[in-house]
Amino acid sequence: MDRTTTTAPGSLDFREFAAARGRHLVRTAYLLTGGDGHLAEDLAQEALGRVYDRWRRISAMENPAGYAQTVLVNAFMSYRRKRSNTEHVTDTFTDAAAHDPDPALRVTLLRALGRLPARDRAVLVLRFWEDRSVEETAAALHLSSTAVRSRSSRALARLREELGTETLSELRS
């Protein structure tokens, strides 16, 4: 079955969608994984594969990009639940940051995000990096709005405690 053609007038075909949203999905996955570029690419690929399987229905939706983001977060959460004990976390990065004004600050933030529980990290990434509303974040993570607010509040407090107010001030500027 060819999923690249759609029946809805004015809708994207899957290749156009993947080309337009692929890098964004990888960047979001990079933040969710705490800076693991290879895992981020794998998760984005898995999310695009799942979207491809249901493209006819998804392409007719009002916001297929939002749906793809939700699929990505679900793939990340599923990965965290299934993660094997044979994997070893490392603090060395093989990929170099491109044109980063303060790479040390970026690495510090990624490490601090990596120390948060997976669901708290997902809440922060969706709320503040993806600039989603509380309701959108709640829907993507299958949480209540109250849970999103409390998780983001606790996670931000933990980041403030770990990073200090000076580091967080640098991030805002």
Side-chain angles (χ1 to χ4, degrees):
M1 173 193 312
D2 182 15
R3 291 180 184 94
T4 59
T5 48
T6 58
T7 57
S11 63
L12 294 174
D13 76 2
F14 181 76
R15 288 182 188 152
E16 291 171 345
F17 175 80
R21 299 300 301 171
R23 289 194 67 192
H24 184 78
L25 290 171
V26 171
R27 279 195 316 264
T28 300
Y30 186 79
L31 290 170
L32 289 171
T33 61
D36 186 340
H38 299 291
L39 178 58
E41 290 174 2
D42 289 346
L43 289 172
Q45 184 67 34
E46 183 176 340
L48 284 172
R50 290 180 186 177
V51 168
Y52 178 76
D53 285 341
R54 296 174 184 86
W55 183 245
R56 279 197 192 279
R57 184 176 53 86
I58 293 168
S59 66
M61 292 178 155
E62 184 177 322
N63 185 6
Y67 186 88
Q69 286 296 122
T70 300
V71 170
L72 175 69
V73 170
N74 290 340
F76 167 70
M77 297 306 290
S78 177
Y79 166 79
R80 294 296 298 178
R81 283 189 297 272
K82 293 179 192 174
R83 191 169 118 180
S84 168
N85 288 334
T86 61
E87 295 181 16
H88 301 286
V89 179
T90 180
D91 63 347
T92 57
F93 297 96
T94 57
D95 299 332
H99 305 97
D100 195 352
D102 192 353
L105 181 62
R106 181 180 184 85
V107 169
T108 301
L109 177 61
L110 286 172
R111 284 184 180 156
L113 276 172
R115 286 190 287 272
L116 291 175
R119 195 165 289 257
D120 288 351
R121 188 176 337 141
V123 166
L124 290 183
V125 168
L126 290 176
R127 282 283 293 128
F128 301 106
W129 180 262
E130 294 295 325
D131 199 27
R132 287 193 181 194
S133 70
V134 171
E135 293 75 23
E136 290 172 329
T137 303
L141 296 174
H142 307 291
L143 297 171
S144 68
S145 297
T146 304
V148 168
R149 285 187 200 96
S150 65
R151 280 186 176 275
S152 63
S153 176
R154 281 194 305 259
L156 285 173
R158 185 166 173 200
L159 281 179
R160 282 186 198 102
E161 182 181 300
E162 248 185 78
L163 298 174
T165 54
E166 291 176 19
T167 305
L168 286 175
S169 297
E170 290 178 40
L171 289 172
R172 288 188 193 119
S173 38

